Amino acid sequence: MSKILSSLTHSNTRLKTAAFWLVAVVLLAGLAAIFYWWAGRRPQSHYVTLEASMGEIERSVNVTGSINPRVTVQVGSYVSGTVKTLTCDFNTEVKAGQICATIDPSTFQVAVDQNAAQLNSTRAQSRKDGAALAYAKAVVERDSKLLADGIVAQEIVDNDKNVLQQALAQIDLDKAAIVAQQASLKSAMVNLGYTNIVSPVTGTVLTRNIDVGQTVASSLQTPTLFLIGKDLTKMQVDANVSEADVGRIKVDQEVTFSVQAYPERIFSGSVKQIRRGPITVQNVVTYDVVVAVDNPDLLLFPGMTADAEIVIDARENALRIPLAAVRFAPERAGHRSQAHTGGASGSGNRGDGQSDVHNHDSAEPAMSADGPRGKHGASAAEHDKTERNGGTQVAHQGHGEHGKGGSETANDTRAQQFEKSGANGGQGGRHHGGQRGQQGGANGPDEKHSVVAINEAAPTSPAPPLAEKARRQKRSKIWILRGTTPQPLWITTGLDNGELVEVLSGGLKAGDMVIVNEVRPVEAKIGPAQGPFGQVGRRGHDR
């Protein structure tokens, strides 16, 4: 009996143990299923696309300036006095030589009369001295004959000759006095003429600073009475261009601008002059760029503020895409690429949450001379061979391209982004790349140099100095939507205006839909203290 009880007790123990492990396995399987369901419940992304189009694209510099007449004359007064008459007012159309105002001429007329009287007196004295000269000559001739006859002495003849010489000298003095008096009279008449304020040019009176009865005091500095603009149908815009942009401004470049008085109208002109004199205001250096503008309707007034746009380069009938498409990389495509390649390329997430994709299984365009392999001269197999031979600079550059994430933005981002991308690439290589990833991670801090080396790879043969257009060409990767799947495409970009960028080559056609953004439906973020089986802390904000 005891054996039977012992056997039953042993059997019950094994059944309990088996039941315990069965329940544990079921619970673990259920928990794993719940966990995978929670981890994969992220909503499907939606791609925002825009169409590649043909059209005009131009690059410009935006500046501000003031509108001024091409020739502005400040009319002042050379003499002092009281304003007697005023014949010109604001906006008066004047001719050259037209009298605009007069200063009381009475005091200056008195000076003219005095100098005229002195001139007449000097001329009368000259006529008197001329009569004395004639008498002296007659006396000398008479006494000389008497001396020959022995009637008069030699002393009398010598005295007569002395008087004749003095008479001749007096005539010269009278002539000099007449010239001096004429100059004094002319000076007085010039001052009298200065009492008439005349316009030196044909134009329009812009400002008037005097009124009738006002006293004008002319001393060391001539007061400005009128400001006259010559020919207001020809104006100019004095634009202040910063020193960073002035190097791209050239004479005869097209300029468009608007003024606040006519916000719906666009005016046009051309660069006439680039003045080299710097204008420094609070350590900011600008240069005056003169833009010639026609103003036949007299709509533009002097002093208006012009918001100008100077076109430095333009293309017509160019293939254009949004600039955002060059900077975009889909996040889910990056995860799929890592899954297919097994992380062998050492790719990592970018600092902005996007991953660069180098998907060898995707439809990447033929890797021609325009493609990434054709440009950099290294395929995936060549990268592997290089790494096996000791990890040369080309291999490191390959890891830098994969690890930085979003290589399509390498040409448009700044050095800080290169450095950040390189460091993140190193981290991604250490997590996903095995031995290649470790090599990429070890070179993470130097990735910014590798990125520059990739993007500035020299051609196979030495190239001549490039033109400005060629220097702006860049290699970039964009994503186009084929059905519901994003596909990468390498292109060569050229001119951009901050919103659109020109596509020079790469197989993109007008009408293709390029991806510019990835939008995820609203979902709740899991807080740091929240797990799939319960909420410990406060739920996060919507993504």
Side-chain angles (χ1 to χ4, degrees):
M1 188 68 180
S2 61
K3 290 183 178 180
I4 294 174
L5 292 175
S6 176
S7 177
L8 291 174
T9 302
H10 184 66
S11 298
N12 290 335
T13 302
R14 286 189 299 176
L15 289 174
K16 289 180 181 180
T17 303
F20 171 78
W21 285 111
L22 179 62
V23 171
V25 170
V26 171
L27 288 177
L28 288 176
L31 293 176
I34 294 174
F35 178 82
Y36 281 109
W37 168 82
W38 170 82
R41 64 174 182 169
R42 300 178 65 184
Q44 187 67 26
S45 299
H46 169 69
Y47 296 109
V48 180
T49 60
L50 290 175
E51 183 179 0
S53 61
M54 303 295 295
E56 182 181 1
I57 184 172
E58 61 183 25
R59 190 170 186 177
S60 59
V61 175
N62 295 323
V63 296
T64 58
S66 60
I67 299 176
N68 298 304
R70 296 187 185 180
V71 177
T72 303
V73 180
Q74 295 180 352
V75 180
S77 175
Y78 184 76
V79 296
S80 302
T82 303
V83 178
K84 186 176 182 180
T85 61
L86 187 63
T87 58
C88 293
D89 203 350
F90 293 96
N91 301 332
T92 300
E93 300 290 337
V94 295
K95 302 292 184 180
Q98 179 178 337
I99 297 177
C100 291
T102 58
I103 296 176
D104 188 4
S106 56
T107 56
F108 301 96
Q109 186 63 50
V110 170
V112 170
D113 295 340
Q114 289 177 350
N115 284 277
Q118 292 177 0
L119 178 60
N120 293 332
S121 176
T122 304
R123 286 174 176 172
Q125 183 65 38
S126 177
R127 290 192 296 270
K128 178 182 177 181
D129 294 336
L133 175 61
Y135 175 76
K137 287 181 179 181
V139 171
V140 169
E141 292 177 357
R142 185 184 64 245
D143 289 345
S144 297
K145 292 179 181 180
L146 295 175
L147 178 63
D149 296 337
I151 299 174
V152 296
Q154 182 65 40
E155 181 179 359
I156 295 175
V157 175
D158 293 340
N159 184 56
D160 293 339
K161 290 181 179 180
N162 180 43
V163 172
L164 178 60
Q165 294 296 327
Q166 291 182 6
L168 291 172
Q170 186 63 42
I171 293 299
D172 292 336
L173 289 175
D174 293 339
K175 290 180 179 180
I178 290 174
V179 173
Q181 292 299 324
Q182 288 176 342
S184 298
L185 178 61
K186 186 176 180 179
S187 176
M189 294 179 66
V190 169
N191 289 334
L192 178 63
Y194 282 146
T195 59
N196 295 324
I197 309 300
V198 299
S199 172
V201 295
T202 299
T204 304
V205 177
L206 303 180
T207 60
R208 172 178 60 83
N209 300 323
I210 57 172
D211 288 301
V212 176
Q214 181 177 343
T215 301
V216 176
S218 177
S219 55
L220 297 178
Q221 185 176 3
T222 303
T224 301
L225 308 183
F226 298 96
L227 183 64
I228 300 177
K230 180 181 179 180
D231 192 9
L232 296 186
T233 60
K234 303 291 184 181
M235 304 287 282
Q236 69 181 28
V237 177
D238 292 309
N240 296 322
V241 180
S242 66
E243 57 181 329
D245 297 326
V246 73
R248 295 179 290 176
I249 307 299
K250 307 297 180 184
V251 176
D252 295 332
Q253 285 179 339
E254 181 184 355
V255 181
T256 58
F257 66 95
S258 62
V259 294
Q260 297 180 2
Y262 311 101
E264 73 286 350
R265 182 163 181 174
I266 301 298
F267 300 89
S268 62
S270 61
V271 176
K272 179 183 177 183
Q273 186 183 38
I274 304 172
R275 296 178 178 173
R276 300 182 181 273
I279 304 173
T280 305
V281 178
Q282 295 181 352
N283 294 329
V284 177
V285 180
T286 59
Y287 294 87
D288 186 9
V289 175
V290 180
V291 179
V293 180
D294 291 331
N295 188 30
D297 300 330
L298 301 179
L299 297 179
L300 300 176
F301 295 174
M304 283 185 172
T305 300
D307 296 324
E309 183 180 12
I310 304 176
V311 179
I312 61 177
D313 201 354
R315 303 281 190 277
E316 294 183 357
N317 196 27
L319 179 60
R320 310 171 302 177
I321 61 172
L323 193 59
V326 179
R327 302 190 178 104
F328 172 76
E331 184 177 356
R332 288 189 179 274
H335 291 303
R336 288 197 298 271
S337 176
Q338 293 176 12
H340 286 297
T341 59
S345 63
S347 61
N349 293 336
R350 299 194 317 182
D352 56 359
Q354 298 177 350
S355 297
D356 187 18
V357 180
H358 195 73
N359 192 350
H360 301 289
D361 298 331
S362 62
E364 195 164 314
M367 298 302 181
S368 64
D370 293 333
R373 299 178 187 178
K375 179 178 181 182
H376 304 303
S379 62
E382 291 171 344
H383 282 294
D384 295 338
K385 180 180 178 180
T386 307
E387 289 164 358
R388 289 194 298 269
N389 291 333
T392 62
Q393 182 180 3
V394 177
H396 291 168
Q397 293 175 354
H399 299 324
E401 182 176 3
H402 290 294
K404 78 183 182 63
S407 64
E408 72 281 3
T409 64
N411 296 316
D412 297 323
T413 54
R414 293 182 174 85
Q416 294 87 348
Q417 294 174 330
F418 287 147
E419 187 173 2
K420 180 179 179 182
S421 301
N424 291 339
Q427 296 175 1
R430 281 190 285 270
H431 284 291
H432 302 287
Q435 182 179 359
R436 292 172 63 186
Q438 292 175 2
Q439 293 175 356
N443 293 278
D446 296 328
E447 290 298 328
K448 61 180 181 179
H449 303 293
S450 301
V451 172
V452 175
I454 290 174
N455 292 324
E456 297 180 357
T460 55
S461 60
L466 299 177
E468 184 178 359
K469 176 181 177 181
R471 287 197 298 268
R472 284 197 299 268
Q473 295 182 3
K474 311 170 190 174
R475 292 290 299 166
S476 302
K477 184 167 69 174
I478 63 173
W479 295 82
I480 58 178
L481 197 61
R482 304 292 188 189
T484 59
T485 304
Q487 299 292 337
L489 180 65
W490 284 91
I491 62 173
T492 302
T493 60
L495 185 66
D496 72 88
N497 60 1
E499 296 180 357
L500 300 175
V501 62
E502 177 190 15
V503 179
L504 300 177
S505 62
L508 186 69
K509 301 182 295 297
D512 289 345
M513 305 303 293
V514 296
I515 304 176
V516 297
N517 195 10
E518 182 178 4
V519 178
R520 192 180 307 281
V522 177
E523 62 178 357
K525 286 185 178 180
I526 304 301
Q530 181 179 353
F533 308 110
Q535 178 177 351
V536 179
R538 180 174 61 86
R539 290 184 66 84
H541 298 288
D542 292 338
R543 296 185 65 177

